[in-house]
Amino acid sequence: MSLHDDAVLVLKEYRGRDDEQSTLRDAYLDHLAAHPDGMWKSCGAGHLTASALVVDPERGKVLLTLHRKLGMWLQMGGHCEPGDRSLAAAALREATEESGIAGLTLLPGGPVTLDRHPIPPPCHRHLDVQYAALAPAGAVEAISEESLDLRWFAWDEVPGVADASVVRLLERTRAAL
């Protein structure tokens, strides 16, 4: 199965918690139907991305990255690559690469939420499929070249440092734990 086919299957199975999420799911599916290259950065109309919020539920903390290009505290994530077998695999790869933490596991049940957002050129628009990744006990992070900083934040600190999309992802992740 191609990554495009996997994305279509994942999105068809995704059940958002509200009308906004259902509308986004339908827009993502329409995008993929209209753009066979809709998984790739080269798609000028926008493309799907995969991300994962790294959480440590036992400590009540979330690991965020200070994104080098955007200068914002965000979850780990980014572009799909030709070697990715699935959206889930892309999200887990991105989370592992950007956090430096081996042994992350995705929260069962598929994506936690969807988020569509503009990005500076050349990308223009990301259609992000967002997962949650559980950190193993004793996880130690390591800053990658894509980050200016990595930091663990308590659940209640996130609204003070991150934008509404990250706060929403955290809220939906906590509800799924």
Side-chain angles (χ1 to χ4, degrees):
M1 175 183 312
S2 72
L3 186 57
H4 187 281
D5 292 342
D6 173 76
V8 169
L9 182 62
V10 166
L11 291 165
K12 284 182 176 179
E13 292 176 355
Y14 175 73
R15 297 293 172 246
R17 296 185 164 195
D18 54 36
D19 289 341
E20 178 186 5
Q21 286 293 293
S22 295
T23 299
L24 277 176
R25 179 198 61 229
D26 294 344
Y28 284 29
L29 287 168
D30 290 346
H31 176 79
L32 290 173
H35 302 283
D37 62 343
M39 296 300 301
W40 312 116
K41 187 177 181 178
S42 59
C43 182
H47 51 276
L48 268 67
T49 55
S51 66
L53 184 69
V54 176
V55 297
D56 183 340
E58 290 184 19
R59 296 184 331 165
K61 296 206 177 235
V62 58
L63 183 65
L64 297 179
T65 178
L66 184 56
H67 195 277
R68 181 171 297 281
K69 290 181 182 175
L70 300 176
M72 300 169 59
W73 287 104
L74 299 170
Q75 75 276 10
M76 315 303 153
H79 297 107
C80 296
E81 295 181 1
D84 293 327
R85 301 176 329 277
S86 65
L87 277 174
L92 188 58
R93 175 187 52 74
E94 285 286 341
T96 301
E97 288 175 0
E98 293 184 14
S99 71
I101 299 173
L104 294 173
T105 57
L106 293 183
L107 191 66
V112 175
T113 192
L114 306 175
D115 185 69
R116 179 174 51 190
H117 48 270
I119 295 291
C123 292
H124 304 296
R125 181 178 306 244
H126 282 175
L127 310 174
D128 198 28
V129 180
Q130 300 177 327
Y131 292 81
L134 302 173
V140 177
E141 69 279 3
I143 296 174
S144 76
E145 63 187 35
E146 296 183 37
S147 301
L148 294 172
D149 196 5
L150 283 174
R151 193 173 308 160
W152 289 99
F153 292 94
W155 306 132
D156 62 353
E157 293 176 316
V158 173
V161 298
D163 71 6
S165 70
V166 178
V167 173
R168 183 174 47 253
L169 175 56
L170 175 59
E171 289 169 352
R172 292 184 177 165
T173 296
R174 290 182 70 192
L177 289 172

